[in-house]
Amino acid sequence: MGHQVVLLTTSFPGAKEREVVDGIQVVRKGGDLLFQLTVALNIRKLDREFDFDVVVEDLNKLPLFTPLLQKKPVVVQMHHLWRGSIFHETVFPVAFGVWLFETIIPWFYRKEPFIVVSPSTKRELCELGIDEDRVVVIYNGSDNCTLDGSEEEVENVDFGAPYFLWLSRVHRYKGIWTALEAFEEFAKKHQDVKLVVAGDGPVLKDIPAWLETHGLKDRVVLTGYVSSSKKRALLKNATALLQTSYKEGWGLTVVEAAKLGTTTVACDVPGLRDSVRNGETGLLFPVGDKIACAFEMDRIYSDDDLRTRLEEEAKSYADEFRWDAAAELTVNLLQDALIEHQVDQVADE
């Protein structure tokens, strides 16, 4: 839209410290562990160089406290709060630290507007103590999903049987063990169905031994990381998507699946209960309940009429979410924040 955008983010081996990506000036410094310190040491230097009008803080796990570090207006963007779900992902001292930092957000962000991606996250922020009128829901868009990959990639999703798809980074909080245990229950009744686990992550290495122990080695396919075109092919050809996360801000894979005509069985948790309308666009089950998950999988697989209705409604719902709409709403909010800041400056003078 003609605005200059600078992204300050972490570095990685082999990365350039500075480069322009899709028109965005990317500046990479430091790593994840001390990123708060990296921001504190660099944000004023970057402001002197680029003369920002507004700062957008992506608040994920740990606040960066940008309102205290510089004098430009700040807009905070959040996908979700971790709250108790962080204790499923990491060791207690680290989890407690993240939980504690989230509780103090209202103390340090007293007037900044927040952008969230679902009504669930808005409710959580308000419960934490952020004024409701400062929290704006701007839904994620979704790319127009089409099968533009090669014919070979499309053929590679033929596993010789119908399959449910679990697609995510393979972390504990993403609920991979719930999906595997639910499939174990489901597979007792349906010998002709497979589970495909697509994605990479630290827990992936532990799955083969579990499959061997539970006699599911030939029933579960581990693809590892997949390309975008392969992902779309997997989504389109799946019986349904399994989304078993303990926590999501929204559930982008749900919308991607829906645009390709695939419904979802998901945990009834914040974010996912927004991207999945229970009984209308997909089916929800209590978080961590493998028996309930297996039951909903059985309903989807056994009832063609139900699955067709959910697929049609999911596709219609997904078409409402567009990146151009999200961009326009975001720019409007940034401009409002800038105007309010300028008015406050004049009043102070």
Side-chain angles (χ1 to χ4, degrees):
M1 297 181 182
H3 303 287
Q4 183 182 22
V5 181
V6 179
L7 170 66
L8 174 60
T9 185
T10 52
S11 187
F12 54 89
K16 296 178 181 178
E17 181 174 340
R18 292 195 178 200
E19 66 175 322
V20 177
V21 180
D22 294 335
I24 297 172
Q25 176 63 63
V26 180
V27 179
R28 301 187 182 97
K29 291 182 178 292
D32 291 342
L33 187 60
L34 298 177
F35 192 61
Q36 285 175 303
L37 179 60
T38 299
V39 171
L41 293 174
N42 287 278
I43 191 167
R44 287 189 179 182
K45 296 177 184 177
L46 290 172
D47 188 22
R48 286 195 294 270
E49 179 180 352
F50 293 101
D51 189 19
F52 301 131
D53 293 303
V54 61
V55 173
V56 178
E57 175 178 336
D58 179 26
L59 203 165
N60 183 4
K61 298 185 181 72
L62 300 178
L64 300 174
F65 304 113
T66 50
L68 304 181
L69 302 176
Q70 47 79 55
K71 296 182 179 181
K72 300 297 175 66
V74 172
V75 173
V76 183
Q77 176 178 290
M78 293 190 68
H79 268 73
H80 65 80
L81 289 162
W82 282 85
R83 311 314 295 144
S85 63
I86 190 64
F87 293 95
H88 292 287
E89 176 60 17
T90 189
V91 295
F92 179 80
V94 176
F96 179 75
V98 172
W99 178 88
L100 182 62
F101 266 110
E102 286 188 344
T103 63
I104 65 174
I105 287 174
W107 300 0
F108 294 94
Y109 300 82
R110 296 180 178 274
K111 60 181 181 179
E112 288 71 26
F114 284 72
I115 297 174
V116 297
V117 298
S118 70
S120 292
T121 302
K122 179 173 183 173
R123 284 192 294 271
E124 287 184 320
L125 267 178
C126 294
E127 290 169 359
L128 198 64
I130 300 296
D131 297 333
E132 183 177 359
D133 60 1
R134 289 197 286 126
V135 186
V136 178
V137 177
I138 300 179
Y139 292 103
N140 282 329
S142 179
D143 296 331
N144 291 322
C145 297
T146 57
L147 281 179
D148 57 3
S150 68
E151 289 301 317
E152 181 181 356
E153 285 178 315
V154 175
E155 290 174 5
N156 283 342
V157 305
D158 183 3
F159 301 104
Y163 66 90
F164 283 82
L165 175 65
W166 189 93
L167 171 69
S168 183
R169 290 175 292 121
V170 191
H171 288 256
R172 282 182 290 176
Y173 85 92
K174 292 292 187 178
I176 181 59
W177 298 116
T178 299
L180 290 169
E181 291 169 359
F183 179 73
E184 183 178 24
E185 291 295 320
F186 172 85
K188 294 175 182 177
K189 183 177 178 181
H190 302 284
Q191 300 296 319
D192 58 336
V193 184
K194 292 187 176 182
L195 173 66
V196 176
V197 175
D200 198 3
V203 181
L204 185 62
K205 66 181 186 302
D206 301 325
I207 296 178
W210 187 93
L211 296 177
E212 187 75 42
T213 301
H214 290 256
L216 293 173
K217 184 178 178 181
D218 297 328
R219 303 288 303 279
V220 177
V221 180
L222 306 177
T223 70
Y225 176 82
V226 295
S227 66
S228 294
S229 55
K230 181 70 172 291
K231 175 186 72 172
R232 289 191 289 270
L234 287 169
L235 286 167
K236 182 173 179 60
N237 289 280
T239 298
L241 175 71
L242 287 185
Q243 231 299 3
T244 52
S245 291
Y246 300 139
K247 191 67 171 290
E248 288 289 335
W250 171 236
L252 189 55
T253 55
V254 172
V255 178
E256 291 176 330
K259 285 200 169 185
L260 290 163
T262 300
T263 187
T264 297
V265 176
C267 284
D268 186 6
V269 296
L272 293 178
R273 65 173 65 112
D274 299 307
S275 57
V276 176
R277 290 179 171 175
N278 191 32
E280 297 179 22
T281 67
L283 300 174
L284 298 176
F285 66 92
V287 60
D289 190 334
K290 66 178 183 179
I291 301 300
C293 180
F295 176 78
E296 302 299 0
M297 292 169 67
D298 179 66
R299 288 181 65 197
I300 288 281
Y301 183 72
S302 303
D303 190 334
D304 291 340
D305 291 338
L306 172 65
R307 186 173 66 255
T308 299
R309 176 175 63 81
L310 294 176
E311 289 170 346
E312 291 173 351
E313 290 294 327
K315 192 174 190 309
S316 177
Y317 182 48
D319 287 339
E320 299 177 16
F321 306 108
R322 308 189 322 275
W323 284 122
D324 58 344
E328 182 176 353
L329 291 169
T330 301
V331 168
N332 290 341
L333 184 61
L334 296 179
Q335 291 173 336
D336 289 344
L338 176 57
I339 292 170
E340 183 176 347
H341 178 73
Q342 291 170 339
V343 170
D344 289 344
Q345 282 185 317
V346 172
D348 292 340
E349 293 174 358

